[in-house]
Amino acid sequence: MLKVLIVDDHDVVSQGISRVLQDVTGVDVVGVVHNGEEAIIQAKLLLPDIILMDVHMPGIGGLGATKEIKRILPKIKIIALSALDDNLYPVKLLEAGASGYLTKGTNTSELLEAIEVVSKGEHYISKSVAQKMALSKFSIDGDGSPLGQLSDRELQVAQMIVDCKKSNEIAEHLNVSPKTVSTYRTRIFTKLSIESDVELIHMAVRYNVLGMG
């Protein structure tokens, strides 16, 4: 039996995936958690074969959790899930050690195919994502996106600014202080040579790398 841990902060998504996998022979859903910190704890306790990891979550997020889990439990395979099919996140997740990347719009058959492929030690990338990555030659900023120079945490903050979240909401979501959020915002603006949230949103739309996750 393949032991699968589901990590997603949206109950509808996590329960939906769980119901699908419960009907699959040879797959055992050993747990469902809702953020990266819980994922790390449960990975240690449950030792799943595969983790289905949402990218955009409170706290350290899917990217931070993937890095930490692969550091302490390198044998666990991780398939990242995101609403985005841009180049930036897939490359960052693969560099962090993920074995697969799927968009949340993927159908059941592709999800099961990804689990089967990854369980054999291979990589699986959602077809729409793979095409874009091939065109950009697997470069984080191969599409010319200046957002590729942001750190993982800065990218998380930028994501929420684009989603029109206020500083106190971002602080609560990431479990940091509003002052820390302000510091990240300043770093983002400096790196991207912009001066406002509006400019950041325009840049995100232009390069199609940030959006609701």
Side-chain angles (χ1 to χ4, degrees), residues 44-71:
K44 294 176 183 177
L45 293 174
L46 301 173
L47 297 177
D49 299 297
I50 293 176
I51 297 176
L52 300 178
M53 180 80 73
D54 183 22
V55 175
H56 304 292
M57 296 183 293
I60 63 173
L63 181 56
T66 295
K67 285 183 175 180
E68 179 62 13
I69 290 170
K70 292 302 292 185
R71 184 184 71 81

Side-chain angles (χ1 to χ4, degrees), residues 8-78:
D8 198 298
D9 63 331
H10 294 98
D11 285 333
V12 173
V13 175
S14 59
Q15 294 303 322
I17 294 174
S18 180
R19 283 194 296 270
V20 168
L21 296 183
Q22 283 173 357
D23 295 329
V24 178
T25 302
V27 174
D28 179 22
V29 177
V30 294
V32 177
V33 296
H34 304 293
N35 59 56
E37 288 83 356
E38 290 179 353
I40 295 170
I41 293 171
Q42 292 305 310
K44 294 176 183 177
L45 293 174
L46 301 173
L47 297 177
D49 299 297
I50 293 176
I51 297 176
L52 300 178
M53 180 80 73
D54 183 22
V55 175
H56 304 292
M57 296 183 293
I60 63 173
L63 181 56
T66 295
K67 285 183 175 180
E68 179 62 13
I69 290 170
K70 292 302 292 185
R71 184 184 71 81
I72 60 178
L73 298 164
K75 291 185 178 180
I76 293 178
K77 306 293 192 299
I78 297 175

Side-chain angles (χ1 to χ4, degrees), residues 158 161-164 185 188-189 192-206 210:
I161 292 174
V162 171
D163 287 344
C164 299
R185 187 190 297 266
I188 292 167
F189 286 6
L192 300 181
S193 300
I194 58 177
E195 297 180 354
S196 71
D197 292 357
V198 173
E199 287 184 83
L200 176 61
I201 292 171
H202 286 168
M203 183 176 290
V205 171
R206 177 183 177 186
L210 293 174

Side-chain angles (χ1 to χ4, degrees), residues 147-212:
L147 290 152
Q149 66 187 298
L150 300 182
S151 70
D152 298 343
R153 199 57 151 176
E154 289 164 354
L155 197 60
Q156 274 189 297
V157 173
Q159 165 79 45
M160 283 178 278
I161 292 174
V162 171
D163 287 344
C164 299
K165 301 293 186 184
K166 296 180 180 179
S167 291
N168 61 333
E169 293 178 298
I170 297 174
E172 182 178 354
H173 189 86
L174 298 180
N175 298 321
V176 298
S177 70
K179 183 177 180 180
T180 299
V181 172
S182 179
T183 299
Y184 280 124
R185 187 190 297 266
T186 300
R187 289 178 187 172
I188 292 167
F189 286 6
T190 299
K191 285 186 177 181
L192 300 181
S193 300
I194 58 177
E195 297 180 354
S196 71
D197 292 357
V198 173
E199 287 184 83
L200 176 61
I201 292 171
H202 286 168
M203 183 176 290
V205 171
R206 177 183 177 186
Y207 292 103
N208 189 32
V209 296
L210 293 174
M212 294 298 291

Side-chain angles (χ1 to χ4, degrees), residues 128-154:
S128 62
V129 175
Q131 184 178 26
K132 288 189 176 184
M133 291 177 69
L135 291 173
S136 66
K137 297 181 181 179
F138 299 92
S139 170
I140 288 180
D141 56 358
D143 56 356
S145 170
L147 290 152
Q149 66 187 298
L150 300 182
S151 70
D152 298 343
R153 199 57 151 176
E154 289 164 354

